[in-house]
mmCIF file of all heavy atoms in Angstrom:
data_model
loop_
_atom_site.group_PDB
_atom_site.id
_atom_site.type_symbol
_atom_site.label_atom_id
_atom_site.label_comp_id
_atom_site.label_asym_id
_atom_site.label_seq_id
_atom_site.Cartn_x
_atom_site.Cartn_y
_atom_site.Cartn_z
ATOM 1 N N THR A 1252 51.604 74.832 130.147
ATOM 2 C CA THR A 1252 51.928 76.176 129.508
ATOM 3 C C THR A 1252 52.507 75.913 128.136
ATOM 4 O O THR A 1252 53.410 75.077 127.976
ATOM 5 C CB THR A 1252 52.981 76.879 130.389
ATOM 6 O OG1 THR A 1252 52.463 77.078 131.689
ATOM 7 C CG2 THR A 1252 53.318 78.243 129.755
ATOM 8 N N ILE A 1257 61.984 81.178 119.566
ATOM 9 C CA ILE A 1257 62.184 82.164 118.540
ATOM 10 C C ILE A 1257 63.655 82.314 118.290
ATOM 11 O O ILE A 1257 64.439 82.621 119.211
ATOM 12 C CB ILE A 1257 61.605 83.514 118.924
ATOM 13 C CG1 ILE A 1257 60.137 83.389 119.341
ATOM 14 C CG2 ILE A 1257 61.718 84.527 117.754
ATOM 15 C CD1 ILE A 1257 59.903 83.277 120.818
ATOM 16 N N SER A 1261 68.213 88.812 119.619
ATOM 17 C CA SER A 1261 69.358 89.383 120.243
ATOM 18 C C SER A 1261 69.334 90.886 120.294
ATOM 19 O O SER A 1261 70.191 91.492 120.866
ATOM 20 C CB SER A 1261 70.683 88.949 119.569
ATOM 21 O OG SER A 1261 70.688 89.373 118.195
ATOM 22 N N PHE A 1268 62.426 89.812 119.049
ATOM 23 C CA PHE A 1268 62.026 90.181 120.391
ATOM 24 C C PHE A 1268 60.589 90.659 120.482
ATOM 25 O O PHE A 1268 59.863 90.388 121.407
ATOM 26 C CB PHE A 1268 62.959 91.273 120.905
ATOM 27 C CG PHE A 1268 62.711 91.660 122.365
ATOM 28 C CD1 PHE A 1268 62.561 90.684 123.315
ATOM 29 C CD2 PHE A 1268 62.630 92.980 122.762
ATOM 30 C CE1 PHE A 1268 62.288 90.992 124.640
ATOM 31 C CE2 PHE A 1268 62.404 93.317 124.087
ATOM 32 C CZ PHE A 1268 62.271 92.303 125.038
ATOM 33 N N SER A 1289 74.279 85.889 125.897
ATOM 34 C CA SER A 1289 74.169 86.983 126.825
ATOM 35 C C SER A 1289 73.195 88.039 126.343
ATOM 36 O O SER A 1289 72.486 88.692 127.146
ATOM 37 C CB SER A 1289 75.577 87.591 127.108
ATOM 38 O OG SER A 1289 76.091 88.257 125.938
ATOM 39 N N GLU A 1320 71.827 70.486 121.290
ATOM 40 C CA GLU A 1320 71.885 70.766 122.683
ATOM 41 C C GLU A 1320 70.601 71.534 123.125
ATOM 42 O O GLU A 1320 70.075 71.297 124.251
ATOM 43 C CB GLU A 1320 73.136 71.683 123.012
ATOM 44 C CG GLU A 1320 74.402 70.924 122.908
ATOM 45 C CD GLU A 1320 75.605 71.808 122.906
ATOM 46 O OE1 GLU A 1320 75.417 73.081 123.065
ATOM 47 O OE2 GLU A 1320 76.741 71.321 122.739
ATOM 48 N N LEU A 1379 59.751 67.241 119.728
ATOM 49 C CA LEU A 1379 59.103 68.175 120.593
ATOM 50 C C LEU A 1379 57.879 68.807 119.941
ATOM 51 O O LEU A 1379 56.813 69.036 120.614
ATOM 52 C CB LEU A 1379 60.048 69.242 120.994
ATOM 53 C CG LEU A 1379 61.176 68.841 121.962
ATOM 54 C CD1 LEU A 1379 62.363 69.701 121.859
ATOM 55 C CD2 LEU A 1379 60.680 68.806 123.387
ATOM 56 N N ILE A 1388 54.880 76.072 112.936
ATOM 57 C CA ILE A 1388 56.248 76.431 112.491
ATOM 58 C C ILE A 1388 56.022 77.701 111.605
ATOM 59 O O ILE A 1388 55.246 77.589 110.657
ATOM 60 C CB ILE A 1388 56.960 75.328 111.741
ATOM 61 C CG1 ILE A 1388 57.141 74.127 112.614
ATOM 62 C CG2 ILE A 1388 58.290 75.828 111.220
ATOM 63 C CD1 ILE A 1388 57.701 72.869 111.850
ATOM 64 N N SER A 1393 60.698 87.534 103.556
ATOM 65 C CA SER A 1393 60.977 88.930 103.232
ATOM 66 C C SER A 1393 60.411 89.317 101.906
ATOM 67 O O SER A 1393 60.259 88.472 101.008
ATOM 68 C CB SER A 1393 62.512 89.170 103.201
ATOM 69 O OG SER A 1393 62.828 90.398 102.619
ATOM 70 N N ILE A 1394 60.018 90.494 101.784
ATOM 71 C CA ILE A 1394 59.496 91.009 100.480
ATOM 72 C C ILE A 1394 60.520 90.904 99.391
ATOM 73 O O ILE A 1394 60.221 90.823 98.252
ATOM 74 C CB ILE A 1394 58.989 92.490 100.590
ATOM 75 C CG1 ILE A 1394 58.184 92.878 99.340
ATOM 76 C CG2 ILE A 1394 60.175 93.442 100.856
ATOM 77 C CD1 ILE A 1394 57.559 94.236 99.471
ATOM 78 N N LEU A 1421 63.710 79.763 101.263
ATOM 79 C CA LEU A 1421 63.074 79.512 102.520
ATOM 80 C C LEU A 1421 61.536 79.321 102.289
ATOM 81 O O LEU A 1421 60.885 78.467 102.882
ATOM 82 C CB LEU A 1421 63.260 80.628 103.590
ATOM 83 C CG LEU A 1421 62.601 80.468 104.934
ATOM 84 C CD1 LEU A 1421 63.139 79.215 105.679
ATOM 85 C CD2 LEU A 1421 62.798 81.772 105.725
ATOM 86 N N ALA A 1431 55.475 67.519 103.978
ATOM 87 C CA ALA A 1431 55.997 66.382 104.686
ATOM 88 C C ALA A 1431 55.286 66.130 106.005
ATOM 89 O O ALA A 1431 55.228 65.001 106.531
ATOM 90 C CB ALA A 1431 57.506 66.637 105.014
ATOM 91 N N ALA A 1441 55.157 80.499 105.967
ATOM 92 C CA ALA A 1441 56.151 81.553 105.908
ATOM 93 C C ALA A 1441 55.376 82.858 106.038
ATOM 94 O O ALA A 1441 54.219 83.007 105.579
ATOM 95 C CB ALA A 1441 56.888 81.533 104.575
ATOM 96 N N ASP A 1443 55.795 87.086 105.436
ATOM 97 C CA ASP A 1443 56.465 88.275 105.035
ATOM 98 C C ASP A 1443 56.102 89.388 106.006
ATOM 99 O O ASP A 1443 54.920 89.811 105.947
ATOM 100 C CB ASP A 1443 56.150 88.666 103.550
ATOM 101 C CG ASP A 1443 56.597 90.010 103.139
ATOM 102 O OD1 ASP A 1443 57.387 90.649 103.933
ATOM 103 O OD2 ASP A 1443 56.240 90.483 102.072
ATOM 104 N N ASP A 1487 50.303 89.891 107.047
ATOM 105 C CA ASP A 1487 49.227 90.532 107.779
ATOM 106 C C ASP A 1487 47.961 89.764 107.703
ATOM 107 O O ASP A 1487 46.848 90.260 107.317
ATOM 108 C CB ASP A 1487 48.989 91.992 107.245
ATOM 109 C CG ASP A 1487 50.105 92.927 107.652
ATOM 110 O OD1 ASP A 1487 50.954 92.525 108.442
ATOM 111 O OD2 ASP A 1487 50.127 94.044 107.128
#
Side-chain angles (χ1 to χ4, degrees):
T1252 301
I1257 306 97
S1261 62
F1268 184 47
S1289 66
E1320 289 168 4
L1379 288 155
I1388 300 172
S1393 168
I1394 193 173
L1421 180 64
D1443 171 9
D1487 287 351

